[in-house]
């Protein structure tokens, strides 16, 4: 089984054993991704990045990834496909000759 | 190659062709995940979730996932491993008999 | 009239002329504060703070403040009172002798 | 003294007694506003707004407002002036006859 599918299956097992699917509407799942991301950011607040413990970072990253997978599952989004598609879009939006070494005002990678 | 590894390789190719690694310090990558997540949330602002176009959602989800993969790569985090580990932690933190059907004050799944 | 009251009155006039109060439920107003804050953060992404234009910062700050005032109005929160109260709480939580010059793990001021 | 000035003075007294100004660079202050806003949002996660305690809301709102005032102070931003200015901009951007009762795709009030 593909890794993304496998992890989603495991998350849904965990969720369903607790009957939590009823709380997981798309808007709140998107909110949950955001809240977990802020918890990751909080680790860096007032700090330089090398002052942050890797173990704490891993726990927050896991939370963000969990809610992202559950959100994607809700919309039957194929994460691999949309990511590869977005890279193709960004290749057109940010041609190498114009954007090499240039920080842009867009949130590009 | 594992999907997560494959996607990370593709993102880094895109990044390195543009010489953008120099902008990607961990704190700003965490910030980028957050900003993309807010763009996802913005789709839902003042709306019910069924009023939001799936295509727009997919583009934002791809952005969040991209920066999450690049952030994880920066710290050499194995996303599969940390997610499975977090599920085990959450199984202990949220035992089924106490949390079944109960919305918690924690950001659990 | 107190400044906070005056600004709230002006914002509500703007809102009511457009009949937008019906969109402004508390959860979405909180979301709006968050989205505007991410737009402020986006100005700083990949940048040092002195690379950011003050005029752009002012526009985002105005948006954050607007939604904060409208949110506070929704709950009849007296912003001056709750802020002064929070300072008193923080004085107890962060006594000078223990926290002087020390970055804390809490999100204190 | 104007309320906004008075509150800013009080916050800076609290900050300076603890020698915390050195942590308060603009980028981290913007980050702090964002983190506090996510804590406000967290109160609403998986919930309807009437399930959220007003007292908890007030504490988070106070935190958001505190960092907003400190951020504005850092750039010598006159919050009253920029807010009134933004209302004028929005009056032009969202004319009553076109936007009355219409939820917009912009983050307008």
């Amino acid at each position: 089984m593909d890794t993304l599918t496998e992890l989603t299956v495991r998350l849904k097992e965990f969720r369903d054993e607790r009957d939590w699917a009823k709380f997981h509407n798309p808007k709140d799942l998107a909110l949950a991704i955001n809240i977990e991301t802020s918890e990751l950011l909080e680790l860096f607040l007032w700090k330089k990045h090398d002052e942050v413990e890797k173990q704490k970072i891993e726990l927050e990253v896991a939370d963000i990834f969990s809610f992202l997978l559950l959100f994607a599952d809700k919309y039957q989004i194929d994460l691999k496909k949309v990511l590869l598609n977005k890279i193709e879009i960004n290749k057109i939006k940010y041609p190498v000759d114009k954007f090499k070494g240039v920080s842009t005002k867009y949130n590009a990678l």
Side-chain angles (χ1 to χ4, degrees), chain A:
Chain A
M1 207 190 310
D2 173 75
T3 306
L4 293 169
T5 311
E6 184 192 339
L7 293 173
T8 303
V9 167
R10 296 289 297 271
L11 286 166
K12 289 164 78 176
E13 277 172 11
F14 176 88
R15 178 195 71 188
D16 293 338
E17 281 167 5
R18 282 152 193 80
D19 191 20
W20 284 355
K22 63 186 175 189
F23 302 121
H24 288 194
N25 64 78
K27 196 165 177 170
D28 277 292
L29 281 173
L31 204 48
I33 302 171
N34 189 263
I35 289 166
E36 297 301 342
T37 307
S38 284
E39 292 184 7
L40 175 63
L41 277 173
E42 197 178 333
L43 299 177
F44 292 90
L45 185 66
W46 320 130
K47 298 207 182 83
K48 297 210 175 76
H49 60 79
D50 53 10
E51 298 171 310
V52 188
E53 279 176 60
K54 191 183 168 186
Q55 208 190 345
K56 287 185 183 174
I57 288 172
E58 287 181 336
L59 292 171
E60 298 305 339
V61 160
D63 285 338
I64 298 168
F65 194 30
S66 297
F67 285 118
L68 184 64
L69 288 169
L70 288 169
F71 181 87
D73 179 68
K74 199 61 113 183
Y75 283 97
Q76 293 296 302
I77 293 172
D78 180 331
L79 280 175
K80 180 176 177 177
K81 196 176 147 191
V82 295
L83 196 152
L84 292 175
N85 179 50
K86 191 64 191 272
I87 291 177
E88 295 311 310
I89 292 172
N90 279 340
K91 279 183 183 170
I92 295 164
K93 201 170 169 186
Y94 305 105
V96 171
D97 59 337
K98 281 198 184 164
F99 286 90
K100 191 158 186 175
V102 181
S103 167
T104 76
K105 57 178 174 174
Y106 303 99
N107 293 328
L109 302 179

